[in-house]
Amino acid sequence: MVTCAPERVAGALNSAIGILGGTFDPVHHGHLRLALEVREALGLAEVRLIPTASSHLRATAVARAEQRLAMLERAVVPGLVVDARELARGGCSYTIDTLISLRQQFPTSPLCFILGADAWNALPLWHRWRELLDYAHLVVATRPGVSLGAIPELARAQTTDFGRLTTTPAGCVGWLSIPLLPISATDLRARRRAGQCLDALTPPAVVAFITAQGLYLAP
Ligand code: ATP
């Protein structure tokens, strides 16, 4: 399978909505650049950053839900929107439930669910993952030259015609080759525990919040 350079699809803003789910424990420039690169490449109206309440696939977040939400609100820039629906819903955050809820709110808009390579490779472990394409497109961000694992059940949905991601409501998988920053929340938390500086890994307001709240100091 092939990935395409975003220059081919960049254009004017359309009504399509991007969705980036994550723990955001804490949000960092890797998340923000991912959201902004995909927004620009596809001409999305906005990208909604949706923090999970809890996940059946990973350990409980270190920061409390309201702290992760507060950091996101301090981090967003124009074009990015914080969407707290999974926190409001509570319980285990299943992406399928979130996409159903977004589809109810935006009945005809193209919805583009954005995944990093790690998330794509774990997709077959997600709850009701085969139904995700009934509600949204999957936009997988990869680096130039990096190959992702194939998911045979989704092969037929794969497209290199990225115009379809913003002109049809759902049903396609697009692998978008974009520059990604080698930053992870795990690394930020480790740096904080080691007393290292977090500047330029996440926005200054997030660094200030982490410091003020005494976050991520405990092993
Ligand atoms: P952790 O290190 O705690 O696992 P994380 O930094 O990977 O966290 P998540 O909140 O788990 O962040 O990730 C949310 C989404 O953002 C996932 O789809 C993930 O692939 C993607 N993502 C995380 N970091 C980056 C990055 N540096 N570049 C591109 N995508 C990223």
Side-chain angles (χ1 to χ4, degrees):
M1 289 196 248
V2 290
T3 60
C4 284
E7 290 74 24
R8 296 193 194 170
V9 287
L13 292 184
N14 49 56
S15 65
I17 294 168
I19 302 141
L20 177 62
T23 313
F24 300 113
D25 188 24
V27 62
H28 52 70
H29 283 312
H31 298 128
L32 300 173
R33 283 309 313 171
L34 170 65
L36 292 168
E37 292 278 0
V38 174
R39 177 174 185 252
E40 200 158 46
L42 298 181
L44 305 176
E46 64 185 27
V47 175
R48 304 178 84 86
L49 305 180
I50 307 187
T52 53
S54 70
S55 166
H56 68 298
L57 292 176
R58 52 179 295 157
T60 311
V62 177
R64 295 194 309 275
E66 64 270 23
Q67 292 173 316
R68 293 183 288 119
L69 184 63
M71 290 189 278
L72 272 170
E73 283 165 349
R74 284 161 173 75
V76 285
V77 294
L80 306 184
V81 173
V82 181
D83 181 329
R85 74 185 64 216
E86 291 189 356
L87 301 183
R89 200 164 67 224
C92 203
S93 302
Y94 294 120
T95 297
I96 186 70
D97 296 332
T98 302
L99 295 183
I100 290 170
S101 151
L102 284 160
R103 180 52 72 204
Q104 283 166 352
Q105 184 178 351
F106 304 103
T108 58
S109 301
L111 297 178
C112 295
F113 187 79
I114 303 165
L115 302 128
D118 53 335
W120 166 262
N121 289 329
L123 194 69
L125 300 176
W126 292 19
H127 181 57
R128 293 169 59 188
W129 64 275
R130 290 180 182 82
E131 296 168 57
L132 299 175
L133 287 178
D134 294 340
Y135 300 94
H137 302 295
L138 299 182
V139 177
V140 187
T142 181
R143 292 182 177 82
V146 171
S147 58
L148 298 169
I151 302 180
E153 291 96 325
L154 300 184
R156 279 201 326 199
Q158 180 109 18
T159 183
T160 52
D161 175 7
F162 293 135
R164 291 176 62 196
L165 301 174
T166 55
T167 53
T168 62
C172 297
V173 174
W175 286 4
L176 205 58
S177 177
I178 58 175
L180 299 176
L181 299 175
I183 301 174
S184 73
T186 302
D187 179 58
L188 258 89
R189 296 193 301 270
R191 284 171 182 270
R192 173 84 170 133
R193 279 197 303 278
Q196 293 172 324
C197 164
L198 301 186
D199 289 345
L201 295 170
T202 188
V206 176
V207 177
F209 185 88
I210 289 170
T211 306
Q213 298 273 316
L215 276 172
Y216 307 124
L217 291 172

